């Protein structure tokens, strides 16, 4: 699915995002909830105003999970197994929302990285995030 170069590029990008995980994650979530208002239903119990501690905390968890998987993409299924179960059986998140979030992550990365997020990086990240969303949705099948 991904070349060695693409895997290295993805790991490098996510390594840079770790120090700003709360900011990036919160922006992705806010972008998703603004663009796709139906996704707010899963966060009704949280304060989802811009900059809220809930939004920043959950956003950070998302970015750190994506960054962790980027370190060893070949074991993504194992790394994400607990999150698959949580989202499918306990939270009952519609798996379509994973794709929506991944799109918002791409937009956020492009906004923050500027020229560094060139077409090669964009294509590699799109493939990676598509795989990430597919793996999260695996328990729904």
């Amino acid at each position: 699915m991904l070349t060695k170069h693409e895997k290295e590029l993805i790991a490098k990008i996510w390594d840079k995002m770790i120090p700003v995980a709360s900011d990036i994650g919160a922006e992705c979530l806010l972008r998703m909830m603004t663009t796709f208002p139906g996704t707010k239903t899963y966060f009704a119990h949280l304060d989802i105003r811009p900059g809220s501690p809930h939004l920043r905390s959950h956003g950070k968890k998302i970015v750190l999970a994506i960054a962790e998987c980027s370190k060893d993409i070949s074991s993504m299924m194992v790394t994400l197994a607990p999150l698959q179960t949580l989202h499918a059986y306990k939270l009952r998140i519609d798996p379509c929302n994973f794709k929506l979030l991944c799109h918002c992550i791409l937009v956020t990365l492009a906004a923050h990285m500027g020229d560094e997020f060139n077409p090669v990086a964009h294509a590699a990240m799109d493939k990676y995030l598509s795989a990430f969303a597919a793996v999260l949705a695996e328990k729904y099948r």
Side-chain angles (χ1 to χ4, degrees):
M1 167 187 88
L2 292 164
T3 67
K4 182 180 176 184
H5 173 71
E6 288 172 326
K7 289 178 182 179
E8 290 169 356
L9 182 60
I10 289 163
K12 181 180 165 188
I13 289 170
W14 286 110
D15 193 47
K16 288 181 181 180
M17 295 301 122
I18 290 173
V20 292
S22 296
D23 298 327
I24 297 294
E27 186 175 332
C28 293
L29 284 172
L30 187 62
R31 189 179 302 277
M32 179 183 71
M33 289 182 231
T34 303
T35 309
F36 309 104
T39 60
K40 288 182 191 177
T41 60
Y42 298 104
F43 299 95
H45 61 291
L46 300 179
D47 174 6
I48 56 173
R49 291 175 294 151
S52 76
H54 289 138
L55 203 60
R56 292 177 59 75
S57 172
H58 193 65
K60 182 177 182 177
K61 289 177 191 175
I62 292 168
V63 169
L64 294 179
I66 295 170
E68 183 63 29
C69 281
S70 75
K71 293 176 185 172
D72 185 7
I73 294 171
S74 62
S75 39
M76 190 183 290
M77 288 289 286
V78 174
T79 306
L80 291 179
L83 290 176
Q84 288 174 325
T85 302
L86 174 70
H87 286 82
Y89 300 127
K90 185 176 180 190
L91 301 175
R92 299 182 186 265
I93 304 294
D94 182 342
C96 293
N97 291 320
F98 301 137
K99 291 179 185 179
L100 299 178
L101 178 61
C102 289
H103 174 72
C104 292
I105 291 169
L106 280 174
V107 172
T108 303
L109 290 175
H112 282 269
M113 294 180 65
D115 291 342
E116 226 181 326
F117 201 66
N118 59 37
V120 173
H122 185 147
M125 189 61 68
D126 189 33
K127 285 196 277 187
Y128 171 66
L129 290 173
S130 293
F132 188 88
V135 168
L136 274 180
E138 189 69 25
K139 293 277 184 188
Y140 294 85
R141 296 175 192 185

